[in-house]
Amino acid sequence: LKETQKQQEKNKEKLKLQKELLSEQTRAIYFLGRQPYLKIILNQQDPTKISRYLHYYASLNQARINAISSINKTTLTLKTTEKMIHSQTNKLKKTQAQQKSQHNKFKQEESHRKILLQQTKNSIQTQSDKLNKLLRNKKQLDRKSTRLNSSHIPLSRMPSSA
């Protein structure tokens, strides 16, 4: 896009110079003698002088035609470049919109994953707490069982609750 914009600026400068050249050529023709082309031909002056004037007018007219043609080509190039810039700008805007949409989607997914991760951490912590409680209870039961076994009281001697 930047390259196309640089090209457009060059073409604008070129067009400006071409218009200035055409303007100078037009002024030169005006100041040349202000004699219309037909008047010079019909004037019965020196044939070599008339021939020179006619050749000069033909050269100026050809230069003017070339300048106008060049201006038309440059104008067409400018229009084409403007269309390219417009097209590229639209593509960039579309790409930016897609990227923004994708970025938002990724952010939502990231947020969802963070929530899931936190829920998983909470679940693991809860399970870990339950496991630790069960392990403490097991140790406590093991100690009580060991105390009961170490006291050597036979079960038949234990008082019955009946």
Side-chain angles (χ1 to χ4, degrees):
L1 181 62
K2 287 182 180 181
E3 196 63 36
T4 308
Q5 287 173 333
K6 285 180 186 177
Q7 182 183 356
Q8 184 184 28
E9 288 303 315
K10 286 180 183 176
N11 286 333
K12 283 182 180 179
E13 278 297 314
K14 185 178 177 182
L15 182 63
K16 181 180 174 185
L17 291 174
Q18 290 169 343
K19 285 181 178 181
E20 288 174 4
L21 178 65
L22 181 61
S23 177
E24 287 175 19
Q25 288 173 351
T26 305
R27 266 188 242 113
I29 290 170
Y30 179 76
F31 289 117
L32 179 63
R34 300 180 188 174
Q35 292 184 359
Y37 184 74
L38 188 58
K39 188 175 179 183
I40 290 174
I41 293 173
L42 296 177
N43 194 348
Q44 298 295 324
Q45 292 180 0
D46 182 20
T48 56
K49 190 175 183 182
I50 293 173
S51 177
R52 257 189 329 199
Y53 273 127
L54 292 178
H55 180 60
Y56 187 69
Y57 271 117
S59 295
L60 283 176
N61 282 334
Q62 187 59 46
R64 233 184 6 205
I65 289 169
N66 291 342
I68 290 170
S69 175
S70 187
I71 287 172
N72 288 338
K73 285 179 186 176
T74 305
T75 303
L76 182 62
T77 303
L78 270 174
K79 286 180 182 179
T80 304
T81 306
E82 285 177 16
K83 286 179 184 178
M84 286 174 52
I85 288 173
H86 183 70
S87 173
Q88 289 174 352
T89 302
N90 286 341
K91 284 180 184 178
L92 281 175
K93 285 179 182 178
K94 197 175 199 179
T95 301
Q96 285 175 334
Q98 288 173 342
Q99 286 178 345
K100 187 174 182 178
S101 173
Q102 212 171 25
H103 179 72
N104 289 339
K105 181 181 174 186
F106 289 150
K107 280 207 172 250
Q108 286 177 344
E109 288 178 6
E110 180 184 29
S111 176
H112 181 68
R113 286 187 178 127
K114 282 182 179 180
I115 291 170
L116 287 176
L117 179 63
Q118 189 59 45
Q119 289 174 344
T120 304
K121 283 181 180 180
N122 290 344
S123 176
I124 289 172
Q125 185 62 44
T126 301
Q127 295 295 324
S128 178
D129 290 347
K130 284 181 182 177
L131 180 61
N132 287 336
K133 184 177 179 183
L134 287 173
L135 288 173
R136 283 194 307 270
N137 286 343
K138 181 183 181 290
K139 284 182 183 179
Q140 203 175 27
L141 281 173
D142 284 346
R143 282 194 302 255
K144 285 184 181 181
S145 173
T146 306
R147 267 192 272 146
L148 278 175
N149 285 339
S150 65
S151 66
H152 296 292
I153 303 175
L155 287 176
S156 58
R157 286 194 188 175
M158 286 185 86
S160 63
S161 55

